Amino acid sequence: MPDWLHLMVDSLWPLLVGGIQFTVPLALLSFAAGLLLAFLAAIARLFGPPPLVALVRFYIWLIRGTPLLVQLFVIFYGLPSAGLVLDPLTAALIGFSLNVGAYNAEVIRSAIEAIPKGQWDAAYSLSMTRAQALRRTVLPQAARVAVPPLANSFIALVKDTSLAAVITVPEIFQAAQRIASVTYEPLILYIEAALIYLVLCSFLSAAQTRLERYFGQHAVFTEGQR
């Protein structure tokens, strides 16, 4: 067995452990928290009072206008100067959740706005309140519109978790860095880490296709009919 292949085999399990213990949980928890934040921000922008709308717009502007890497540095390395010290995983979770929330707030808002006004009017004609119309009529239709961009956002988040390595979260890429510092074979280790991300994201892309197909069953047009 060539030395490079032997190294890849020996390092595979430590990289997978980093993925199982940190990359996957970090992505899932950050996306769940970010999606909740995104939904609340979208609802606030659409139906909130002007001061709340302005606050949400500022949050979205701030997060979307600054690099994720800088945000992680501010949270983990900057906040201790203000007396707030966070462990690496918590800092990463907060940073990724805020980022996911800001980007997907616009996705959810645009999906809700894409539903024709006639759907609202039909719900109101059945004596539904605005909250009932939103929950029973608009959101189920908006979900079909939002699924593709939200799925893309999750796949991007899985790859972005590699940035947590800079704040010492021992996920896949940080594990590769640690092994490379001992073996002095960064090219092999980083290629192996990239392949693991590629396999994981390929699986997620396949799941996204099946999910879109499921939600598209009740749509007016399917992809094959366009």
Side-chain angles (χ1 to χ4, degrees), residues 14-15 18-19 22-23 77 88 161-182 189-190 193 197:
L15 296 185
F22 293 97
T23 298
Y77 295 111
T161 57
S162 61
L163 293 175
V166 301
I167 58 172
T168 70
V169 175
E171 41 71 62
I172 294 174
F173 188 62
Q174 217 267 349
Q177 287 181 312
R178 188 171 60 250
I179 299 173
S181 68
V182 176
L189 270 301
Y190 294 158
Y197 283 112

mmCIF file of all heavy atoms in Angstrom, residues 14-15 18-19 22-23 77 88 161-182 189-190 193 197:
data_model
loop_
_atom_site.group_PDB
_atom_site.id
_atom_site.type_symbol
_atom_site.label_atom_id
_atom_site.label_comp_id
_atom_site.label_asym_id
_atom_site.label_seq_id
_atom_site.Cartn_x
_atom_site.Cartn_y
_atom_site.Cartn_z
ATOM 1 N N PRO A 14 -10.298 9.376 12.601
ATOM 2 C CA PRO A 14 -10.303 10.646 13.340
ATOM 3 C C PRO A 14 -11.090 11.752 12.633
ATOM 4 O O PRO A 14 -11.779 12.549 13.294
ATOM 5 C CB PRO A 14 -8.809 11.007 13.432
ATOM 6 C CG PRO A 14 -8.105 9.705 13.347
ATOM 7 C CD PRO A 14 -8.922 8.880 12.411
ATOM 8 N N LEU A 15 -11.021 11.802 11.304
ATOM 9 C CA LEU A 15 -11.792 12.806 10.575
ATOM 10 C C LEU A 15 -13.292 12.531 10.678
ATOM 11 O O LEU A 15 -14.092 13.451 10.856
ATOM 12 C CB LEU A 15 -11.364 12.836 9.104
ATOM 13 C CG LEU A 15 -9.920 13.248 8.804
ATOM 14 C CD1 LEU A 15 -9.703 13.354 7.303
ATOM 15 C CD2 LEU A 15 -9.574 14.561 9.477
ATOM 16 N N GLY A 18 -14.563 13.588 14.041
ATOM 17 C CA GLY A 18 -14.788 15.032 14.064
ATOM 18 C C GLY A 18 -16.095 15.417 13.390
ATOM 19 O O GLY A 18 -16.804 16.315 13.845
ATOM 20 N N GLY A 19 -16.409 14.713 12.299
ATOM 21 C CA GLY A 19 -17.665 14.992 11.610
ATOM 22 C C GLY A 19 -18.881 14.569 12.406
ATOM 23 O O GLY A 19 -19.868 15.304 12.495
ATOM 24 N N PHE A 22 -18.981 16.754 15.834
ATOM 25 C CA PHE A 22 -19.024 18.214 15.797
ATOM 26 C C PHE A 22 -19.641 18.774 14.511
ATOM 27 O O PHE A 22 -20.548 19.604 14.581
ATOM 28 C CB PHE A 22 -17.615 18.788 15.994
ATOM 29 C CG PHE A 22 -17.058 18.545 17.361
ATOM 30 C CD1 PHE A 22 -16.203 17.468 17.582
ATOM 31 C CD2 PHE A 22 -17.401 19.355 18.430
ATOM 32 C CE1 PHE A 22 -15.694 17.219 18.847
ATOM 33 C CE2 PHE A 22 -16.903 19.112 19.692
ATOM 34 C CZ PHE A 22 -16.052 18.049 19.911
ATOM 35 N N THR A 23 -19.180 18.336 13.342
ATOM 36 C CA THR A 23 -19.667 18.944 12.098
ATOM 37 C C THR A 23 -21.167 18.758 11.924
ATOM 38 O O THR A 23 -21.903 19.732 11.706
ATOM 39 C CB THR A 23 -18.923 18.343 10.886
ATOM 40 O OG1 THR A 23 -17.528 18.633 11.000
ATOM 41 C CG2 THR A 23 -19.454 18.935 9.596
ATOM 42 N N TYR A 77 -13.269 35.677 19.802
ATOM 43 C CA TYR A 77 -12.065 36.373 20.258
ATOM 44 C C TYR A 77 -12.339 37.803 20.729
ATOM 45 O O TYR A 77 -11.575 38.349 21.522
ATOM 46 C CB TYR A 77 -11.027 36.418 19.129
ATOM 47 C CG TYR A 77 -10.502 35.064 18.735
ATOM 48 C CD1 TYR A 77 -10.814 34.504 17.501
ATOM 49 C CD2 TYR A 77 -9.691 34.339 19.592
ATOM 50 C CE1 TYR A 77 -10.326 33.258 17.132
ATOM 51 C CE2 TYR A 77 -9.192 33.082 19.234
ATOM 52 C CZ TYR A 77 -9.522 32.555 18.003
ATOM 53 O OH TYR A 77 -9.038 31.312 17.643
ATOM 54 N N PRO A 88 -15.717 27.323 22.433
ATOM 55 C CA PRO A 88 -15.694 27.325 20.961
ATOM 56 C C PRO A 88 -16.983 26.841 20.314
ATOM 57 O O PRO A 88 -17.461 27.453 19.355
ATOM 58 C CB PRO A 88 -14.516 26.401 20.631
ATOM 59 C CG PRO A 88 -13.624 26.482 21.816
ATOM 60 C CD PRO A 88 -14.534 26.634 22.993
ATOM 61 N N THR A 161 -19.191 25.009 8.103
ATOM 62 C CA THR A 161 -18.762 24.605 9.443
ATOM 63 C C THR A 161 -17.259 24.401 9.528
ATOM 64 O O THR A 161 -16.695 24.405 10.628
ATOM 65 C CB THR A 161 -19.465 23.298 9.877
ATOM 66 O OG1 THR A 161 -19.204 22.266 8.908
ATOM 67 C CG2 THR A 161 -20.959 23.498 10.038
ATOM 68 N N SER A 162 -16.608 24.254 8.366
ATOM 69 C CA SER A 162 -15.146 24.134 8.378
ATOM 70 C C SER A 162 -14.493 25.400 8.928
ATOM 71 O O SER A 162 -13.362 25.362 9.424
ATOM 72 C CB SER A 162 -14.626 23.842 6.970
ATOM 73 O OG SER A 162 -14.959 24.888 6.073
ATOM 74 N N LEU A 163 -15.204 26.533 8.857
ATOM 75 C CA LEU A 163 -14.666 27.782 9.407
ATOM 76 C C LEU A 163 -14.549 27.727 10.924
ATOM 77 O O LEU A 163 -13.802 28.507 11.515
ATOM 78 C CB LEU A 163 -15.550 28.963 8.999
ATOM 79 C CG LEU A 163 -15.585 29.316 7.507
ATOM 80 C CD1 LEU A 163 -16.605 30.421 7.259
ATOM 81 C CD2 LEU A 163 -14.212 29.741 7.022
ATOM 82 N N ALA A 164 -15.296 26.808 11.547
ATOM 83 C CA ALA A 164 -15.212 26.687 13.005
ATOM 84 C C ALA A 164 -13.834 26.229 13.449
ATOM 85 O O ALA A 164 -13.486 26.362 14.627
ATOM 86 C CB ALA A 164 -16.282 25.708 13.515
ATOM 87 N N ALA A 165 -13.038 25.721 12.517
ATOM 88 C CA ALA A 165 -11.677 25.296 12.863
ATOM 89 C C ALA A 165 -10.845 26.470 13.370
ATOM 90 O O ALA A 165 -9.952 26.298 14.212
ATOM 91 C CB ALA A 165 -10.996 24.665 11.648
ATOM 92 N N VAL A 166 -11.141 27.683 12.876
ATOM 93 C CA VAL A 166 -10.332 28.844 13.275
ATOM 94 C C VAL A 166 -10.614 29.267 14.707
ATOM 95 O O VAL A 166 -9.845 30.039 15.283
ATOM 96 C CB VAL A 166 -10.562 30.033 12.316
ATOM 97 C CG1 VAL A 166 -10.200 29.658 10.893
ATOM 98 C CG2 VAL A 166 -11.983 30.556 12.396
ATOM 99 N N ILE A 167 -11.715 28.783 15.280
ATOM 100 C CA ILE A 167 -11.979 29.074 16.696
ATOM 101 C C ILE A 167 -11.877 27.784 17.517
ATOM 102 O O ILE A 167 -12.521 27.639 18.546
ATOM 103 C CB ILE A 167 -13.340 29.775 16.904
ATOM 104 C CG1 ILE A 167 -14.493 28.935 16.361
ATOM 105 C CG2 ILE A 167 -13.340 31.146 16.249
ATOM 106 C CD1 ILE A 167 -15.868 29.505 16.715
ATOM 107 N N THR A 168 -11.084 26.851 17.008
ATOM 108 C CA THR A 168 -10.651 25.626 17.692
ATOM 109 C C THR A 168 -11.747 24.603 17.938
ATOM 110 O O THR A 168 -11.626 23.771 18.834
ATOM 111 C CB THR A 168 -9.956 25.957 19.040
ATOM 112 O OG1 THR A 168 -10.914 26.452 19.981
ATOM 113 C CG2 THR A 168 -8.847 26.978 18.861
ATOM 114 N N VAL A 169 -12.818 24.627 17.164
ATOM 115 C CA VAL A 169 -13.807 23.550 17.237
ATOM 116 C C VAL A 169 -13.226 22.344 16.510
ATOM 117 O O VAL A 169 -12.869 22.446 15.325
ATOM 118 C CB VAL A 169 -15.147 23.961 16.601
ATOM 119 C CG1 VAL A 169 -16.118 22.780 16.588
ATOM 120 C CG2 VAL A 169 -15.754 25.138 17.340
ATOM 121 N N PRO A 170 -13.104 21.182 17.149
ATOM 122 C CA PRO A 170 -12.423 20.026 16.536
ATOM 123 C C PRO A 170 -13.289 19.263 15.542
ATOM 124 O O PRO A 170 -13.508 18.063 15.680
ATOM 125 C CB PRO A 170 -12.068 19.166 17.749
ATOM 126 C CG PRO A 170 -13.128 19.476 18.750
ATOM 127 C CD PRO A 170 -13.465 20.932 18.553
ATOM 128 N N GLU A 171 -13.778 19.979 14.512
ATOM 129 C CA GLU A 171 -14.594 19.310 13.492
ATOM 130 C C GLU A 171 -13.676 18.704 12.427
ATOM 131 O O GLU A 171 -12.484 18.549 12.653
ATOM 132 C CB GLU A 171 -15.620 20.289 12.899
ATOM 133 C CG GLU A 171 -15.114 21.688 12.622
ATOM 134 C CD GLU A 171 -14.158 21.708 11.454
ATOM 135 O OE1 GLU A 171 -14.572 21.351 10.339
ATOM 136 O OE2 GLU A 171 -12.980 22.070 11.639
ATOM 137 N N ILE A 172 -14.217 18.371 11.269
ATOM 138 C CA ILE A 172 -13.462 17.625 10.263
ATOM 139 C C ILE A 172 -12.174 18.351 9.862
ATOM 140 O O ILE A 172 -11.085 17.771 9.880
ATOM 141 C CB ILE A 172 -14.333 17.368 9.015
ATOM 142 C CG1 ILE A 172 -15.501 16.434 9.354
ATOM 143 C CG2 ILE A 172 -13.493 16.751 7.894
ATOM 144 C CD1 ILE A 172 -16.487 16.255 8.215
ATOM 145 N N PHE A 173 -12.303 19.606 9.490
ATOM 146 C CA PHE A 173 -11.137 20.322 8.968
ATOM 147 C C PHE A 173 -10.095 20.559 10.053
ATOM 148 O O PHE A 173 -8.887 20.481 9.791
ATOM 149 C CB PHE A 173 -11.579 21.651 8.350
ATOM 150 C CG PHE A 173 -10.481 22.368 7.625
ATOM 151 C CD1 PHE A 173 -9.881 21.786 6.522
ATOM 152 C CD2 PHE A 173 -10.045 23.608 8.042
ATOM 153 C CE1 PHE A 173 -8.852 22.425 5.845
ATOM 154 C CE2 PHE A 173 -9.024 24.259 7.385
ATOM 155 C CZ PHE A 173 -8.432 23.666 6.275
ATOM 156 N N GLN A 174 -10.550 20.826 11.263
ATOM 157 C CA GLN A 174 -9.602 21.034 12.357
ATOM 158 C C GLN A 174 -8.866 19.735 12.678
ATOM 159 O O GLN A 174 -7.674 19.750 12.992
ATOM 160 C CB GLN A 174 -10.338 21.546 13.593
ATOM 161 C CG GLN A 174 -9.571 22.572 14.404
ATOM 162 C CD GLN A 174 -8.771 21.945 15.538
ATOM 163 O OE1 GLN A 174 -8.937 20.775 15.849
ATOM 164 N NE2 GLN A 174 -7.899 22.735 16.130
ATOM 165 N N ALA A 175 -9.580 18.616 12.571
ATOM 166 C CA ALA A 175 -8.939 17.317 12.771
ATOM 167 C C ALA A 175 -7.877 17.067 11.700
ATOM 168 O O ALA A 175 -6.790 16.558 11.980
ATOM 169 C CB ALA A 175 -9.984 16.211 12.752
ATOM 170 N N ALA A 176 -8.194 17.459 10.451
ATOM 171 C CA ALA A 176 -7.217 17.315 9.374
ATOM 172 C C ALA A 176 -5.996 18.200 9.624
ATOM 173 O O ALA A 176 -4.852 17.774 9.392
ATOM 174 C CB ALA A 176 -7.865 17.672 8.036
ATOM 175 N N GLN A 177 -6.230 19.412 10.099
ATOM 176 C CA GLN A 177 -5.112 20.310 10.413
ATOM 177 C C GLN A 177 -4.227 19.724 11.509
ATOM 178 O O GLN A 177 -2.990 19.806 11.434
ATOM 179 C CB GLN A 177 -5.650 21.671 10.857
ATOM 180 C CG GLN A 177 -6.232 22.520 9.741
ATOM 181 C CD GLN A 177 -6.718 23.854 10.262
ATOM 182 O OE1 GLN A 177 -7.425 23.923 11.269
ATOM 183 N NE2 GLN A 177 -6.345 24.927 9.587
ATOM 184 N N ARG A 178 -4.855 19.149 12.504
ATOM 185 C CA ARG A 178 -4.105 18.584 13.631
ATOM 186 C C ARG A 178 -3.227 17.413 13.168
ATOM 187 O O ARG A 178 -2.055 17.308 13.567
ATOM 188 C CB ARG A 178 -5.076 18.134 14.720
ATOM 189 C CG ARG A 178 -4.400 17.704 16.011
ATOM 190 C CD ARG A 178 -5.394 17.476 17.121
ATOM 191 N NE ARG A 178 -6.353 16.442 16.795
ATOM 192 C CZ ARG A 178 -7.632 16.658 16.537
ATOM 193 N NH1 ARG A 178 -8.123 17.879 16.582
ATOM 194 N NH2 ARG A 178 -8.446 15.656 16.255
ATOM 195 N N ILE A 179 -3.778 16.542 12.342
ATOM 196 C CA ILE A 179 -2.998 15.400 11.849
ATOM 197 C C ILE A 179 -1.899 15.877 10.898
ATOM 198 O O ILE A 179 -0.774 15.368 10.924
ATOM 199 C CB ILE A 179 -3.922 14.386 11.156
ATOM 200 C CG1 ILE A 179 -4.956 13.844 12.151
ATOM 201 C CG2 ILE A 179 -3.113 13.236 10.573
ATOM 202 C CD1 ILE A 179 -6.015 12.970 11.519
ATOM 203 N N ALA A 180 -2.212 16.877 10.063
ATOM 204 C CA ALA A 180 -1.219 17.399 9.118
ATOM 205 C C ALA A 180 -0.044 18.039 9.838
ATOM 206 O O ALA A 180 1.096 17.990 9.346
ATOM 207 C CB ALA A 180 -1.873 18.409 8.183
ATOM 208 N N SER A 181 -0.291 18.632 11.000
ATOM 209 C CA SER A 181 0.801 19.261 11.753
ATOM 210 C C SER A 181 1.776 18.225 12.310
ATOM 211 O O SER A 181 2.922 18.565 12.638
ATOM 212 C CB SER A 181 0.221 20.103 12.897
ATOM 213 O OG SER A 181 -0.388 19.276 13.879
ATOM 214 N N VAL A 182 1.323 16.984 12.415
ATOM 215 C CA VAL A 182 2.185 15.909 12.929
ATOM 216 C C VAL A 182 2.851 15.138 11.791
ATOM 217 O O VAL A 182 4.033 14.783 11.865
ATOM 218 C CB VAL A 182 1.368 14.944 13.817
ATOM 219 C CG1 VAL A 182 2.224 13.779 14.271
ATOM 220 C CG2 VAL A 182 0.794 15.691 15.013
ATOM 221 N N LEU A 189 -4.025 15.246 3.604
ATOM 222 C CA LEU A 189 -5.055 15.374 4.637
ATOM 223 C C LEU A 189 -6.166 16.315 4.207
ATOM 224 O O LEU A 189 -7.351 16.051 4.442
ATOM 225 C CB LEU A 189 -4.431 15.856 5.945
ATOM 226 C CG LEU A 189 -3.922 14.789 6.923
ATOM 227 C CD1 LEU A 189 -5.031 13.844 7.342
ATOM 228 C CD2 LEU A 189 -2.770 13.986 6.341
ATOM 229 N N TYR A 190 -5.807 17.414 3.552
ATOM 230 C CA TYR A 190 -6.835 18.378 3.138
ATOM 231 C C TYR A 190 -7.674 17.838 1.987
ATOM 232 O O TYR A 190 -8.870 18.115 1.900
ATOM 233 C CB TYR A 190 -6.186 19.708 2.760
ATOM 234 C CG TYR A 190 -5.523 20.408 3.924
ATOM 235 C CD1 TYR A 190 -4.531 21.352 3.723
ATOM 236 C CD2 TYR A 190 -5.885 20.107 5.239
ATOM 237 C CE1 TYR A 190 -3.913 21.987 4.791
ATOM 238 C CE2 TYR A 190 -5.278 20.734 6.314
ATOM 239 C CZ TYR A 190 -4.290 21.667 6.087
ATOM 240 O OH TYR A 190 -3.690 22.290 7.147
ATOM 241 N N ALA A 193 -10.116 15.493 3.675
ATOM 242 C CA ALA A 193 -11.201 16.252 4.307
ATOM 243 C C ALA A 193 -12.181 16.758 3.256
ATOM 244 O O ALA A 193 -13.403 16.699 3.446
ATOM 245 C CB ALA A 193 -10.628 17.414 5.110
ATOM 246 N N TYR A 197 -16.304 16.022 2.868
ATOM 247 C CA TYR A 197 -17.327 17.049 2.656
ATOM 248 C C TYR A 197 -18.087 16.790 1.357
ATOM 249 O O TYR A 197 -19.316 16.975 1.295
ATOM 250 C CB TYR A 197 -16.698 18.443 2.609
ATOM 251 C CG TYR A 197 -16.320 19.010 3.954
ATOM 252 C CD1 TYR A 197 -14.991 19.199 4.300
ATOM 253 C CD2 TYR A 197 -17.301 19.375 4.870
ATOM 254 C CE1 TYR A 197 -14.635 19.720 5.532
ATOM 255 C CE2 TYR A 197 -16.957 19.910 6.095
ATOM 256 C CZ TYR A 197 -15.630 20.077 6.428
ATOM 257 O OH TYR A 197 -15.282 20.599 7.654
#
